Amino acid sequence: MKIIIHGGFFSESDQSHEVKIEKQNSLKKIAKQSFEFLQSHSAEETVVHAVKLLEDDLLYNAGMGSQIQSDGKIRMSASLMNGQTQKFSGVINIENVKNPIEVAQVLMKEDDRVLGGNGAKIYATENGFEDFSTEIPQRRKEYEEKLKTGGKGTVGCVALDREGRLSAATSTGGKGFELVGRISDSATVAGNFANEFCAVSCTGVGEDIVSNATAAKIVIRVTDGFSIKDAVEKTFYELKEIDGFAGAIAIDKNGNIAHQDSHPTMVFASYDGENFEVFE
């Protein structure tokens, strides 16, 4: 059993050393809690659990920490993929729910598994999700500072359970100040993808990740016989050719873990029940 999570990027130029320590401690705590959850739950259930914890943490750009778009509203996207069933579900630009990843999880039972905008919100309401504003009081003040401070980054989790099943989940609050209607990578197979061989979650600039088909490329290469290390390295070499900005976390069916970023530093943590690896 293995688990790895990410929470976007950290920049020394616009975030303090104290914030860095907070993120390291937060990621270690969430990775440990999620690994413990994995002991008695499936990979799919675990990645949802971990991403929900990340969505509830104001340090990250998802759920409660989501950025504000150019019209002053918060819209969130999240997706889930089960490597065993090959089912993908997600919500795009959903408003006024606390945990978009939970809506994506419920959508797994539907034939129509990716919903956007008002349709996603209607579905969430019909399935018992309460109306919830993720705009905490200071978010409106931060709205005026977003262009100067930069984004905090998407969150995600990849897990391998005791049955050898892989799953990936990713959630984002957008990049901040984006055009209304902009769609990120997080609820696409470019940003979140899994099969029986490998699972990947990405963070970074959505347009770059989509252009590079980052998550899907890594998984397909592992499926075709690449080592996970080589699959990640080749995909990021191709990303570099378009000057892409991204980070990725991945686990293969044998429990090998990989992570890479094109513009350091992606914040991540992995835990195997004994040892942590945390970004520095």
Side-chain angles (χ1 to χ4, degrees):
M1 293 181 291
K2 295 287 181 69
I3 193 163
I4 182 169
I5 61 176
H6 70 72
F9 284 82
F10 173 81
S11 171
E12 297 282 0
S13 64
D14 59 35
Q15 295 177 30
S16 68
H17 182 70
E18 288 73 20
V19 169
K20 181 178 182 179
I21 298 299
E22 280 188 85
K23 288 189 173 185
Q24 289 171 330
N25 291 337
S26 167
L27 288 170
K28 286 179 67 176
K29 179 180 179 181
I30 291 172
K32 186 173 187 295
Q33 289 177 340
S34 299
F35 184 83
E36 290 170 352
F37 186 89
L38 182 61
Q39 307 306 300
S40 56
H41 294 82
S42 69
E44 179 184 313
E45 292 168 324
T46 300
V47 295
V48 171
H49 177 78
V51 168
K52 181 176 181 292
L53 293 175
L54 290 161
E55 287 176 338
D56 288 343
D57 194 320
L58 298 179
L59 286 169
Y60 310 108
N61 177 26
M64 292 294 293
S66 294
Q67 306 245 32
I68 292 176
Q69 297 191 354
S70 59
D71 64 348
K73 294 185 178 180
I74 291 173
R75 298 178 180 89
M76 301 163 288
S77 297
S79 69
L80 169 66
M81 189 158 187
N82 184 310
Q84 181 185 36
T85 65
Q86 282 284 273
K87 285 187 175 182
F88 180 101
S89 63
V91 291
I92 297 171
N93 288 333
I94 192 170
E95 297 180 51
N96 295 317
V97 297
K98 185 179 181 186
N99 296 108
I101 193 61
E102 291 189 315
V103 184
Q105 183 181 29
V106 174
L107 275 165
M108 271 292 190
K109 65 182 174 63
E110 305 289 353
D111 292 329
D112 305 322
R113 292 192 296 274
V114 181
L115 299 181
N118 190 50
K121 174 57 178 170
I122 290 170
Y123 179 84
T125 300
E126 290 176 345
N127 281 271
F129 289 87
E130 295 181 1
D131 199 57
F132 186 93
S133 174
T134 54
E135 186 183 319
I136 59 174
Q138 66 262 37
R139 192 73 70 239
R140 182 57 50 179
K141 183 177 179 181
E142 290 174 358
Y143 175 58
E144 304 298 332
E145 301 295 324
K146 290 298 182 186
L147 290 180
K148 292 186 288 183
T149 61
K152 295 177 291 183
T154 297
V155 304
C157 177
V158 178
L160 172 71
D161 65 26
R162 64 174 66 252
E163 303 298 327
R165 298 169 297 194
L166 291 156
S167 286
T170 307
S171 182
T172 188
K175 65 180 183 179
F177 279 87
E178 61 264 67
L179 293 173
V180 176
R182 181 248 183 190
I183 295 172
S184 76
D185 66 289
S186 297
T188 76
V189 296
N192 191 75
F193 196 63
N195 66 10
E196 64 180 299
F197 297 97
C198 183
V200 178
S201 173
C202 296
T203 183
V205 175
E207 287 73 11
D208 295 344
I209 294 167
V210 169
S211 295
N212 183 244
T214 305
K217 273 186 178 178
I218 293 169
V219 172
I220 290 167
R221 282 173 168 150
V222 173
T223 303
D224 288 345
F226 278 63
S227 70
I228 193 169
K229 178 177 180 292
D230 289 345
V232 170
E233 287 183 355
K234 182 171 178 59
T235 303
F236 271 77
Y237 175 80
E238 293 167 346
L239 185 73
K240 184 178 180 181
E241 291 182 327
I242 62 169
D243 194 28
F245 188 117
I249 56 174
I251 302 177
D252 69 16
K253 66 177 184 178
N254 298 316
N256 297 307
I257 287 178
H259 53 83
Q260 189 159 332
D261 46 32
S262 62
H263 291 68
T265 301
M266 178 178 65
V267 305
F268 73 91
S270 64
Y271 184 61
D272 61 7
E274 295 182 0
N275 302 303
F276 286 104
E277 183 182 4
V278 184
F279 82 97
E280 296 180 353

